[in-house]
Amino acid sequence: MSMKELLSKIKSTYYRIRYCALNRKIYFGRNLKIYGRLEIKGKGSVRIGDNCSITGMQGERDETVTLYTHSKHAVIVIGTNAMLCGTKIGCMHEIEIGNDVLIEEASILDTDFHSVERDRSSVLNEKRDHCKVRIGNGVAIGAKSIVMKGVIIGENAMVGPGSIVCRSLPPGCIALGNPAKIISKLNSSS
Amino acid sequence: MKRNKVMLLSQSLKRVIRLFRKSLSNPILACQSSAALARGTFYILYYKLTRRSVKIKYPFYAYYSVTIRGPGTVRIGRNCHVYPNLREGLRILTTSKESQVLIGNNCALGGAKIRCSGTVIIQDDVMTANVLIQDSWFFRCADDQKGNIVFVRVRPIFIGRNSWLSLRSCVLGGSVIKADSVVAAGAVTWEYEGKDYSLLSGNPVELSIPIERMKKLLK
């Protein structure tokens, strides 16, 4: 076993004690590897599947993965074999991330946090079904990109770096730009 | 030969005297730049001792932090400056031994993130703000199964001399930015070859406007 893996095991046991021991709503799967830093805040529930790895970009000052829940009913579900590198997630309703997912320094939000009224009070008409974010199996999302509320990204889709996704994408497509447009489609064989 | 040497010596003496006069007229700036020079020399010595593949030439002015990670070769030319830009300095990350980052002379590299697994060439007099220079779509894909897909593959990046990369722009694999051109704020270039002395804008960049023509339009 190399030094890096040993450090990751120590880190993962530390985070398990810190977050899972007292809070029943947070669950970590087996064989979780943590190379960077992890920060979980809020009263919602967080569930991370087996064999996930949480890393940060090397040499970066801010290499934390943040999973923030902003209400009691918020749910973040991450599947198995997922890889998060410096990802920022803010959740009010529900965010569901599938298996074998690669997400680099992107940020995922499922609310607007404020209304468009002049007093900027809490959001008025946001329903759980409309704002749900679902990311399918085998999706890859590049650095500096943003996934907005109510987006469903299909299986094996790719989102390039620097793009902003505000409409849902079909499975097996490749998207880039602001707003994210479909450039081409992947073959089913590859 | 002797005469040449004498000429060089006299020139350098003149330069030193000029610098001394400048520092007397503006002592705060002189203090800052001398501190940056000291920090830069510290970085040069540090990377000379710890990494054989990294070579930085003297003088190197580091006003903010410089981090270089990974086994690839990194070359930084003479008289480069690293300014603080959105509280971030220069960060270079390489994946393999074949990957190389070549940076020319007189560059101002504030807040640049360079993530390289192929080749990245930056020529002289380039100015950068807080930008991302990455030669593949997904940097972590080497460990993953997605490496063999066409869109993810690594392509070289070329940034010509005297070009200016502005705030929050991304330069991705296969993009060629030619001399004297400007990349607009928030622009993303990917597999795009611009013209000389032109403005690249949009996300993703689809057209490059020659700056000569733009000046005429503004008049």
Side-chain angles (χ1 to χ4, degrees):
Chain A
M1 190 190 284
S2 65
M3 192 72 191
K4 202 178 167 188
E5 291 196 353
L6 206 148
L7 244 170
S8 85
K9 274 205 167 177
I10 294 166
K11 265 188 183 176
S12 64
T13 47
Y14 163 68
Y15 281 113
R16 219 178 268 275
I17 293 162
R18 185 175 161 188
Y19 292 124
C20 300
L22 293 174
N23 199 340
R24 271 189 193 177
K25 281 189 164 181
I26 297 170
Y27 170 79
F28 289 170
R30 274 176 292 156
N31 204 5
L32 180 73
K33 290 166 237 162
I34 298 178
Y35 300 105
R37 273 176 234 151
L38 180 66
E39 196 173 305
I40 298 173
K41 271 184 186 175
K43 290 176 179 173
S45 63
V46 175
R47 189 183 173 87
I48 300 175
D50 301 343
N51 295 325
C52 284
S53 62
I54 284 168
T55 64
M57 285 297 177
Q58 246 186 335
E60 207 73 13
R61 186 164 290 186
D62 182 28
E63 51 181 37
T64 51
V65 172
T66 61
L67 307 172
Y68 290 170
T69 50
H70 295 283
S71 73
K72 271 186 184 177
H73 311 291
V75 179
I76 298 175
V77 179
I78 298 168
T80 58
N81 288 324
M83 190 167 180
L84 308 177
C85 312
T87 313
K88 314 293 193 241
I89 294 177
C91 178
M92 186 92 98
H93 305 285
E94 193 171 341
I95 292 176
E96 203 179 310
I97 296 171
N99 309 331
D100 305 310
V101 169
L102 167 72
I103 303 175
E104 287 184 358
E105 288 169 319
S107 51
I108 301 169
L109 299 169
D110 68 345
T111 57
D112 295 335
F113 294 108
H114 300 282
S115 70
V116 285
E117 300 286 321
R118 280 180 206 279
D119 58 347
R120 307 281 179 245
S121 58
S122 59
V123 199
L124 297 173
N125 320 317
E126 271 195 347
K127 283 174 186 172
R128 203 182 175 84
D129 304 343
H130 291 287
C131 300
K132 207 174 178 182
V133 173
R134 200 181 298 150
I135 293 170
N137 301 338
V139 171
I141 297 176
K144 277 193 173 188
S145 52
I146 302 170
V147 177
M148 312 284 272
K149 67 174 184 181
V151 168
I152 295 168
I153 300 178
E155 287 187 6
N156 298 319
M158 279 189 196
V159 178
S163 52
I164 291 166
V165 187
C166 37
R167 288 192 192 115
S168 42
L169 300 170
C173 72
I174 293 165
L176 182 75
N178 177 14
K181 284 174 193 165
I182 297 162
I183 297 171
S184 75
K185 290 207 166 188
L186 277 178
N187 297 325
S188 56
S189 61
S190 67
Chain B
M1 283 298 285
K2 239 183 182 179
R3 219 177 177 188
N4 263 336
K5 271 189 179 176
V6 171
M7 281 282 284
L8 271 172
L9 255 174
S10 65
Q11 271 183 4
S12 58
L13 256 175
K14 269 181 190 172
R15 199 180 290 163
V16 166
I17 290 163
R18 214 184 296 150
L19 266 174
F20 187 68
R21 271 183 196 160
K22 235 185 193 179
S23 66
L24 280 181
S25 66
N26 196 346
I28 296 168
L29 205 144
C31 282
Q32 280 176 355
S33 59
S34 57
L37 186 65
R39 203 172 172 183
T41 44
F42 164 72
Y43 278 123
I44 292 170
L45 286 172
Y46 176 72
Y47 286 116
K48 207 170 195 178
L49 289 172
T50 53
R51 257 156 241 263
R52 212 178 259 179
S53 55
V54 176
K55 269 175 191 169
I56 306 171
K57 280 183 180 170
Y58 190 84
F60 182 62
Y61 297 86
Y63 292 84
Y64 216 73
S65 66
V66 176
T67 52
I68 299 169
R69 298 280 163 87
T73 57
V74 176
R75 295 285 137 83
I76 297 176
R78 282 184 199 288
N79 208 10
C80 284
H81 295 250
V82 175
Y83 297 109
N85 201 315
L86 294 179
R87 304 190 72 200
E88 279 170 347
L90 174 68
R91 290 144 297 162
I92 298 174
L93 225 177
T94 52
T95 45
S96 65
K97 279 189 177 179
E98 288 87 56
S99 57
Q100 48 184 352
V101 179
L102 310 173
I103 299 172
N105 306 327
N106 304 323
C107 292
L109 307 157
K113 270 182 212 177
I114 300 172
R115 285 169 194 165
C116 170
S117 34
T119 56
V120 172
I121 297 169
I122 298 174
Q123 288 195 328
D124 300 352
D125 308 321
V126 171
M127 216 162 35
T128 63
N130 195 344
V131 300
L132 172 72
I133 299 169
Q134 184 174 306
D135 59 359
S136 58
W137 268 31
F138 307 111
F139 189 73
R140 287 281 176 170
C141 236
D143 331 305
D144 216 13
Q145 296 174 344
K146 290 173 183 120
N148 49 12
I149 294 169
V150 178
F151 281 85
V152 182
R153 75 168 174 233
V154 178
R155 282 178 198 188
I157 290 175
F158 177 84
I159 297 170
R161 59 170 292 282
N162 200 17
S163 55
W164 171 23
L165 312 180
S166 117
L167 187 76
R168 281 182 192 279
S169 56
C170 292
V171 179
L172 304 180
S175 54
V176 176
I177 296 165
K178 288 190 174 168
D180 304 312
S181 52
V182 180
V183 177
V188 174
T189 66
W190 171 68
E191 287 193 4
Y192 185 79
E193 197 173 327
K195 293 166 194 163
D196 271 18
Y197 196 42
S198 58
L199 176 77
L200 313 180
S201 66
N203 181 359
V205 174
E206 276 159 0
L207 73 163
S208 61
I209 312 159
I211 291 173
E212 298 277 341
R213 203 207 291 165
M214 225 173 63
K215 274 184 191 168
K216 276 178 196 170
L217 281 172
L218 286 172
K219 272 176 185 175

